[in-house]
Amino acid sequence: MRCERMTTAAYRFKIVMLGDGAVGKTALTTRFTQDSFEADYKRTIGADFAIKRVNLPDRNVIVSLAVWDLAGQPRFEVVRQSFYRGARGGLLVYDVTRRRTFLNVERWKEEAFKALGTEIPLVIVANKVDLVDDRVVTTKEGKKYAKSKGHVYVESSALTGENVEESYSTLCTTMLDATKKSK
Ligand code: G3D
Ligand code: MG
């Protein structure tokens, strides 16, 4: 454990949590980072970020992830600009029990790409799959949408922890591949 902590991360990526209010962005981020010895929350201007190392054994690398999460709905453009600046990827989250949050996925994508002036790898995260009886957005619809836009699709529950790690590690792998392609 100690040794691993002393190993320098080969890659450092900033990622952003995107999606409507109450879809579970903070819950996912907290669950992902809370066990980490290095978890370090800092309150900035309307956004929180936490840093976590992600080990990708199949790629033989360690990635240091700075996960940025907007606190509430800041009204100021400057907050949003600094939120997006330098982001190399994002988890775009919707709530499978609220269709509106699924319909708004495309708007979040547009806002992010516009602010960044470029496209970045995104993983579409269908969250709250533990709420089986309240579910309204099906797996088929989510997968179809993600596939049509060329994004990876993951179903998660911040409550049970299902696929939380996988959402972040999948994004890491996608970002690594994007970095290699652009070289
Ligand atoms: P946000 O950061 O996207 O705005 P939050 O969303 O992480 O604050 O989550 C909003 C509410 O949804 C929270 O409930 C949280 O506990 C709940 N939630 C988040 N993820 C899941 C999930 O996977 N399953 C279930 N069942 N609930 C989830 P409260 O009651 O605290 O507002
Ligand atoms: Mg939040």
Side-chain angles (χ1 to χ4, degrees), residues 154-170:
V154 179
E155 297 200 332
S156 71
S157 167
L159 189 78
T160 67
E162 180 186 344
N163 277 347
V164 175
E165 292 267 348
E166 288 78 0
S167 301
Y168 291 90
S169 59
T170 301

Side-chain angles (χ1 to χ4, degrees), residues 14-95:
K14 168 179 173 176
I15 64 164
V16 283
M17 299 300 294
L18 306 173
D20 281 2
V23 294
K25 300 181 296 295
T26 302
L28 289 164
T29 306
T30 305
R31 185 169 266 278
F32 175 62
T33 57
Q34 71 188 354
D35 303 331
S36 166
F37 200 30
E38 296 214 3
D40 180 16
Y41 280 92
K42 296 211 170 71
R43 186 158 282 274
T44 60
I45 44 165
D48 291 329
F49 76 87
I51 295 172
K52 175 152 170 159
R53 276 162 180 254
V54 183
N55 216 333
L56 298 173
D58 53 332
R59 300 295 173 113
N60 201 21
V61 291
I62 297 171
V63 174
S64 172
L65 269 193
V67 185
W68 284 62
D69 181 25
L70 273 182
Q73 302 294 329
R75 286 171 291 134
F76 307 111
E77 191 63 21
V78 64
V79 176
R80 306 189 85 81
Q81 285 303 324
S82 66
F83 175 68
Y84 287 115
R85 192 174 303 126
R88 302 286 294 279
L91 290 189
L92 210 172
V93 188
Y94 67 89
D95 174 348

Side-chain angles (χ1 to χ4, degrees), residues 95-97 128-135 159:
D95 174 348
V96 296
T97 71
K128 306 200 188 179
V129 293
D130 57 284
L131 299 174
V132 178
D133 295 340
D134 297 326
R135 184 163 185 167
L159 189 78

